[in-house]
Amino acid sequence: PRTLTGLQTRLAAYFKVSAHELASSSLRRPVLAARAVFCDLAVARYGISPSVIARHLSVSHTTIARALARAPLVYAEHACTREDLLVE
């Protein structure tokens, strides 16, 4: 979906990783953080199901579940909120 691609690009830039790396199996901390926020925003803001997100990123459902669980920690670590990251 177009929404996911735009969100992926925006968050990759914010976390200083490539959009391609966000959709990879990379375990680098910035990538994990970007992926967690991407998953959280896609589910909470846009209502996209975790299975669609997993297919978009070419990762497993388990990866998405872990990313969603990690998202609150990422927001706290970066002192930001969902709304901060959605501002154009």
Side-chain angles (χ1 to χ4, degrees):
R2 189 171 261 170
T3 301
L4 289 179
T5 303
L7 183 60
Q8 182 178 352
T9 302
R10 177 183 296 172
L11 291 175
Y14 179 85
F15 286 97
K16 296 176 176 59
V17 300
S18 73
H20 175 73
E21 193 175 20
L22 198 153
S24 73
S25 60
S26 174
L27 296 177
R28 289 189 327 112
R29 286 183 62 101
V31 176
L32 291 175
R35 192 179 301 130
V37 172
F38 174 83
C39 293
D40 181 66
L41 290 174
V43 170
R45 174 69 181 214
Y46 299 109
I48 298 170
S49 74
S51 61
V52 170
I53 298 166
R55 282 193 297 275
H56 177 79
L57 295 178
S58 300
V59 297
S60 70
H61 292 82
T62 303
T63 298
I64 302 304
R66 288 179 181 159
L68 288 168
R70 190 180 316 107
L73 301 173
V74 174
Y75 289 126
E77 184 178 303
H78 289 270
C80 63
T81 65
R82 288 179 182 147
E83 291 73 28
D84 294 338
L85 296 175
L86 289 172
V87 173
E88 297 285 331

